[in-house]
Every structure is written in structure tokens, then in C-alpha cells.
């Protein structure tokens, strides 16, 4: 006798590992137990029939989220961030080690972070460790405790408790990480190049853009690549904004350097030319650049030079955005977009002839691969039953008052976007949408090597 599934999804359109198809997905004990043709008879306690205008996607994986909890919970928190993730079809996030207090730079701090998140997570949550001066002897212990890799800065991070590594310290850290095959993820902007650039001030976005030139990214990325080549360590370039660095990255890969790269929805959606004076909700570092630069990022994403798209959700309180003065020089840098990434990218991708399969590759499969989340990111037997029902031809206008993250600030406010998330499932339990099964947090805290 065939054992019944807990739930079966029947979809005329389904994005699987090999592209778009139709199919039935059977879930048992939180995992995908069967992927069969649409007309297969799969007995189940519950059947979810997708409408003709809906597509079944794997839950998205966002490996660049600043939750800021504990310590700066007024900026964001695990409850609000993970609710926003679920509403946007994201079923797994990996939390950044800074902006929380204490920063995640030793095992004790990691345990504080886990204790804070444990009862608040509506989606699955993993953690990055931090690499800062004076704490490099903590890297192995954090790795053994299950962080997914380590983040460092090459210039001031914006918070004093997470200082940058200089070149010698970065090389030492990479040699240490190479010894146990851990990955360093790098905010790659060169401090000296930025010190030599004009000082940011005032409400004109062009002045802020000039203060964070492409050259600062290019020099830093070249340094990271050279040290990765020298040490044999794995490195990942965060939030790439400069298209000038793409040939260098492609060449390094051809030489066998282990380097992966991400970019973010805001770099693929907005352009410097359209940002109004005083609109500090668009401020982020590195900055949103010009239209021609944006198109080269899209081309690199399609060609695979850029591996994935993740949010870099970096919220703050409205006061820190300095809306009263509109001064880009003093406003906090960060774009709040965790709930909106799928629709934002789909809006731009479809205009350029890319498919939903492409978007799933960039926002689910590849982030999972980069972080080593082996049971996430695709609709495949044995994977966690993390799923998203998406209506690609529906549309909405972003209203910050309706978003789930803590503070009503987003660069996307008032922007029409294509594609609506109608439901999100975490390990077979619906956590967002009209028929969500539970109001209680369902997320697990993830440990590297166990996912």
C-alpha cells in the first residue's frame, strides 16, 4: 500500500532543477518525497491545487540579511525580518554578524544571537561569523560551532564594534580559513581610495556617488582575489556594484581562484540618474550606479560571472535616514527590501527576456550552493519542502505601510512591481498567504553541515 503524503502540490507550472515543467510534488515529514507528473495519483492528507496563473517555486534563499538583533532591535528583529522574508517567498536567511550587539565574532556572541532568534524565527535562519582584528583566533571555534563562513570589511563598517581588516590581517585570516575550507565573504571597498575621493555631503545623490567611486571596489576586489590566489582560500564578493570589476573576476576564475560573487536587487533595479535629491532611502554602500553600469551587471548575471542575487537588507530607524535634511553624507546606508526581492528582480528580468527559471537560479539555487545549504534552493526529492506560490502576471504598487519589516522605509515605496507571492511553505507548513496554517514561528536555526 502506498503511504500517503502529508501534502501534495499540483502545478501546471513548476520550476524544477532542469527548468519549467508541470508536476505534482509530494511532501512527507517536511521533505520533498516525490516529484511526479501532474496526473500522478499521490494520496495526501491535503492537496494544494495551484491556479492556472500561479507557478510553484522553491523557497528563496537570502544569504545577506542584517537582522540587527539583539542590540539594535529598534532597527529590525528576528520576528519582523523573518515575517517579511516569508511574505516575500524567502524561506531561508543567513544573518550578518554586525549591527547586532554583540557582533558575532566569537562563540559566546553566536550563542547570544541563537538564543535571541530561537523563539522568533518564522523562516529558517543561519549565521555568518565575523572576522575582525584581535579575534582571528576565534575563527576555528565559530566554524566548529556551525557558522556558514566569515564576513570582513576592508574599510570602516559603519559601526565601531566591527572594525576592518588591513591587508596583512586579511591574508592571515584567509590562511587560517583555508586550513579548514571555510569561506570569507568580503565587503570590498578600499579605504584609501575612498579617503582620497570627495567627501559626501548634502542632498545631491551625484555627490554621494562620487564619494564611493568604482575604483574603490575595483582595487579592493583585486586585492581579495590576489590574496585568495596566494592562500588558496575561498572568497565571496558581497553586493557587487561596479561593472568594471567583472573582467577581473572572470579572469581569476579562469585561473582557478575560488571566488564567487553576488549582487542585489537595488543595483539591478535602480539607476543613479533617477534618484531624487534628498532621497536617502536609496543610500547604500557601495552605491547604486549609472544605467549603463546596471545593464552590464545584468549581462554578467546572465553569463554566470555574477552567481546570485540577495537582498543586503540593511534597515534602520527612519531618524537615521535623515529625511529632515536629506543629507546623504550622514544618513545610514542600507536598502530595506527583504520582502520585495523576488518581485523586484522578476519585474526587471522579464523586461530583458529572462525566465522565472533564471530568477530561481539566481535567488534560490545559487545562494544555497554558495552558502553550502545542500537541502535548500530547489524542488528536488530529499530537499526541505520549502515552496513559494508565485503569480508572475499579477502586479502591485509597493506601500511601505503594508510591508512586514520593522520600520516603514524602503526605496521601493510607490514603485509598481510585477509578480505577487500568494503563499509560502516551510517544510510543508504554510507560513504566509491567506491560508497560513500557523501564527507561531516555525523556523529552525541552521548549522553548517547539517542542512
Amino acid at each position: 500500500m502506498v503511504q500517503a503524503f502529508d501534502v501534495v502540490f499540483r502545478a501546471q507550472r513548476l520550476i524544477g532543477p532542469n527548468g519549467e515543467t508541470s508536476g505534482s510534488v509530494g511532501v512527507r515529514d517536511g521533505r520533498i518525497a516525490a516529484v511526479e507528473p501532474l496526473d500522478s495519483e499521490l494520496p495526501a492528507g491535503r492537496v494544494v491545487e495551484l491556479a492556472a496563473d500561479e507557478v510553484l517555486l522553491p523557497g528563496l534563499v537570502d544569504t545577506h540579511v542584517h537582522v540587527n538583533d539583539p542590540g539594535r532591535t529598534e532597527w529590525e528583529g528576528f520576528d519582523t525580518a523573518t515575517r517579511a522574508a516569508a511574505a516575500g517567498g524567502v524561506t531561508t536567511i543567513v544573518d550578518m554578524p554586525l549591527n547586532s550587539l554583540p557582533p558575532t565574532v566569537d562563540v559566546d556572541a553566536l550563542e547570544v544571537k541563537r538564543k535571541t532568534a530561537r523563539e522568533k524565527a518564522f523562516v529558517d535562519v543561519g549565521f555568518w561569523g565575523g572576522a575582525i582584528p584581535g579575534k582571528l583566533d576565534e575563527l576555528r571555534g565559530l566554524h566548529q560551532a556551525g557558522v556558514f563562513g566569515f564576513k570582513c570589511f576592508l574599510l570602516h563598517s559603519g559601526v565601531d564594534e566591527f572594525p576592518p581588516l588591513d591587508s596583512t590581517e586579511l591574508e592571515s585570516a584567509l590562511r587560517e580559513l583555508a586550513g579548514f575550507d571555510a569561506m570569507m565573504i568580503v565587503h570590498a571597498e578600499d579605504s584609501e581610495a575612498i579617503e582620497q575621493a570627495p567627501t559626501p555631503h548634502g542632498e545631491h545623490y551625484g555627490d554621494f556617488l562620487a564619494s564611493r567611486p568604482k575604483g574603490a571596489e575595483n582595487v579592493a576586489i583585486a586585492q581579495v582575489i590576489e590574496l585568495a590566489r596566494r592562500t588558496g582560500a575561498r572568497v565571496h564578493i558581497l553586493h557587487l556594484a561596479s561593472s568594471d570589476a567583472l573582467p577581473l573576476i572572470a579572469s581569476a576564475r579562469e585561473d582557478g581562484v575560488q571566488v564567487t560573487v553576488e549582487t542585489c536587487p537595488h543595483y539591478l533595479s535602480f539607476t543613479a540618474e533617477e534618484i531624487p535629491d534628498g532621497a536617502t532611502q536609496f543610500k547604500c554602500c557601495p552605491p547604486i550606479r549609472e544605467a549603463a553600469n546596471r545593464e552590464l551587471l545584468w549581462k554578467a548575471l546572465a553569463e554566470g560571472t555574477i552567481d546570485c542575487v540577495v537582498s543586503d537588507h540593511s534597515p534602520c530607524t527612519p531618524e537615521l535616514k535623515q529625511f529632515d535634511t536629506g543629507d546623504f553624507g550622514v544618513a545610514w546606508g542600507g536598502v530595506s527590501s527583504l520582502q520585495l526581492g523576488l518581485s523586484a528582480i522578476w519585474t526587471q528580468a522579464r523586461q530583458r527576456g529572462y525566465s522565472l527559471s533564471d530568477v530561481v537560479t539566481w535567488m534560490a539555487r545559487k545562494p544555497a550552493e554558495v552558502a553550502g545549504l545542500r537541502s535548500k534552493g530547489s524542488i528536488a526529492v530529499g530537499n526541505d519542502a520549502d515552496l513559494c506560490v508565485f503569480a508572475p502576471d499579477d502586479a502591485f504598487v509597493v506601500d511601505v505601510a503594508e510591508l512586514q519589516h520593522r520600520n516603514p522605509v524602503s526605496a521601493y515605496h510607490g514603485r509598481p512591481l510585477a509578480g505577487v507571492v500568494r503563499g509560502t511553505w516551510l517544510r510543508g507548513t504554510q507560513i504566509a498567504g491567506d491560508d497560513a496554517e500557523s501564527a507561531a514561528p516555525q523556523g529552525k536555526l541552521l548549522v553548517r553541515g547539517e542542512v
Side-chain angles (χ1 to χ4, degrees):
M1 180 178 179
V2 177
Q3 184 179 355
F5 297 94
D6 300 322
V7 58
V8 167
F9 296 81
R10 298 190 185 279
Q12 297 175 41
R13 298 179 64 190
L14 177 156
I15 306 300
N18 299 314
E20 184 171 326
T21 184
S22 62
S24 295
V25 178
V27 176
R28 187 182 298 122
D29 298 328
R31 291 188 177 272
I32 297 172
V35 181
E36 302 289 343
L38 182 60
D39 58 1
S40 299
E41 292 187 13
L42 300 179
R46 179 187 179 194
V47 176
V48 178
E49 294 272 2
L50 272 68
D53 68 335
E54 296 175 339
V55 186
L56 188 65
L57 313 180
L60 303 189
V61 176
D62 192 336
T63 55
H64 195 149
V65 180
H66 293 270
V67 180
N68 308 331
D69 194 10
R72 292 189 174 96
T73 311
E74 70 275 14
W75 295 16
E76 190 63 283
F78 282 102
D79 51 351
T80 49
T82 57
R83 283 183 188 272
V90 177
T91 50
T92 303
I93 67 169
V94 187
D95 173 57
M96 284 291 163
L98 73 159
N99 299 347
S100 55
L101 294 168
T104 316
V105 294
D106 54 41
V107 173
D108 288 344
L110 175 62
E111 289 308 311
V112 170
K113 182 74 73 81
R114 285 175 169 163
K115 182 178 180 180
T116 303
R118 189 165 286 118
E119 304 301 325
K120 298 181 181 180
F122 287 84
V123 302
D124 286 356
V125 179
F127 302 95
W128 298 109
I132 66 171
K135 287 282 191 176
L136 300 187
D137 58 348
E138 302 284 352
L139 299 178
R140 185 178 291 272
L142 277 167
H143 177 76
Q144 292 171 342
V147 299
F148 285 84
F150 299 88
K151 180 176 186 176
C152 72
F153 278 74
L154 305 183
L155 77 172
H156 194 278
S157 68
V159 291
D160 291 339
E161 69 273 6
F162 201 95
L165 300 179
D166 64 25
S167 180
T168 300
E169 291 164 336
L170 177 59
E171 181 171 358
S172 296
L174 290 177
R175 290 193 185 281
E176 175 74 3
L177 298 188
F180 43 89
D181 193 32
M183 181 170 64
M184 182 73 86
I185 64 175
V186 186
H187 182 123
E189 289 182 284
D190 181 72
S191 59
E192 185 174 345
I194 288 177
E195 287 170 4
Q196 298 301 316
T199 301
H201 65 280
E203 64 178 6
H204 298 301
Y205 184 77
D207 293 338
F208 169 65
L209 182 61
S211 77
R212 313 288 292 215
K214 282 185 174 183
E217 282 192 82
N218 304 338
V219 169
I221 290 169
Q223 178 189 33
V224 171
I225 286 173
E226 178 55 32
L227 291 178
R229 188 193 313 271
R230 190 181 305 171
T231 62
R234 292 189 292 133
V235 295
H236 177 75
I237 304 300
L238 297 167
H239 44 50
L240 180 72
S242 171
S243 61
D244 290 356
L246 293 165
L248 180 64
I249 292 163
S251 175
R253 284 182 173 164
E254 290 176 1
D255 291 345
V257 178
Q258 299 181 86
V259 56
T260 51
V261 184
E262 68 182 45
T263 193
C264 305
H266 39 279
Y267 300 127
L268 298 169
S269 296
F270 304 120
T271 63
E273 294 91 337
E274 68 181 330
I275 296 175
D277 287 351
T280 55
Q281 65 268 33
F282 291 91
K283 179 182 176 179
C284 55
C285 300
I288 295 163
R289 302 196 185 278
E290 299 85 354
N293 183 89
R294 177 182 66 173
E295 296 314 307
L296 289 171
L297 294 180
W298 272 105
K299 183 173 183 288
L301 187 62
E303 293 173 348
T305 305
I306 297 174
D307 297 273
C308 56
V309 180
V310 292
S311 69
D312 189 10
H313 178 71
S314 184
C316 65
T317 60
E319 293 76 18
L320 290 175
K321 278 295 187 182
Q322 304 290 328
F323 290 127
D324 55 340
T325 66
D327 189 338
F328 281 96
V330 295
W332 177 260
V335 174
S336 298
S337 62
L338 180 55
Q339 186 172 335
L340 301 169
L342 175 57
S343 297
I345 289 299
W346 174 236
T347 299
Q348 298 292 325
R350 70 189 303 183
Q351 294 173 7
R352 293 167 174 80
Y354 300 118
S355 69
L356 268 178
S357 294
D358 295 323
V359 173
V360 165
T361 296
W362 301 328
M363 303 190 76
R365 182 174 64 83
K366 290 296 289 187
E369 288 180 2
V370 168
L373 292 154
R374 296 187 298 272
S375 64
K376 304 288 188 180
S378 64
I379 298 175
V381 172
N383 277 6
D384 289 345
D386 300 345
L387 301 164
C388 168
V389 172
F390 186 63
D393 297 323
D394 206 347
F396 67 105
V397 175
V398 177
D399 180 352
V400 290
E402 297 177 358
L403 300 178
Q404 298 291 322
H405 67 256
R406 177 143 291 153
N407 292 292
V409 176
S410 177
Y412 292 89
H413 178 64
R415 194 174 182 92
L417 296 180
V420 172
V421 174
R422 292 186 179 165
T424 305
W425 281 257
L426 181 69
R427 289 185 301 279
T429 296
Q430 188 171 359
I431 58 170
D434 292 340
D435 299 319
E437 297 168 67
S438 174
Q442 300 289 318
K444 290 184 177 179
L445 304 187
L446 304 178
V447 176
R448 177 195 45 78
E450 294 181 2
V451 186

